Amino acid sequence: MAGIHAALSWVKKHSPDARDVVTVAVDTPFFPMDMVEVLASHRKANADCPVICSSGERDHFAFGLWPVALADPLKEYLLNGGRSIKGFFKDHPPVIVKFEAHNGVDPFFNINTPEDVPIALEHFAKLRVQ
């Protein structure tokens, strides 16, 4: 949450015309190439809401489109002891956008352990077949 706040605050200060910040996890190599475009298409009807990715039965909070306007509410939430993204979402409910698996690969599969590397290589092979 603090990282998202830092990004929103930086953009608010240094790029005042920007409306949104995109966040992604660096350990997730297969996220959709059109993710930003898809999230932005949901932004039009939901200008003040975070737009968050989902796949399977899981929401992926690290993948989202965040309105810069949430910088101050997020700062207040953090200063009041808030730490949970779900806690923040109680007052700022997100729009959840579902992404489907492609060739059996969850687009938000992340690599956390050495054991995940061979799985990632298998996924890469499945996706290269296209």
Side-chain angles (χ1 to χ4, degrees), residues 42-60:
H42 286 81
R43 161 66 67 237
K44 295 173 186 172
N46 304 283
D48 298 328
C49 301
V51 183
I52 303 297
C53 296
S54 176
S55 65
E57 300 299 317
R58 289 189 56 208
D59 297 335
H60 304 285

Side-chain angles (χ1 to χ4, degrees), residues 109 111-120:
F109 170 82
I111 302 170
N112 290 317
T113 68
E115 293 78 24
D116 292 334
V117 174
I119 298 167

Side-chain angles (χ1 to χ4, degrees), residues 49-95:
C49 301
V51 183
I52 303 297
C53 296
S54 176
S55 65
E57 300 299 317
R58 289 189 56 208
D59 297 335
H60 304 285
F61 301 127
F63 290 86
L65 185 65
W66 296 82
V68 174
L70 288 180
D72 291 337
L74 184 50
K75 179 180 180 178
E76 183 177 328
Y77 175 74
L78 292 168
L79 289 174
N80 288 324
R83 297 292 177 261
S84 159
I85 198 161
K86 289 181 181 180
F88 182 72
F89 285 164
K90 287 180 183 173
D91 290 329
H92 304 279
V95 173

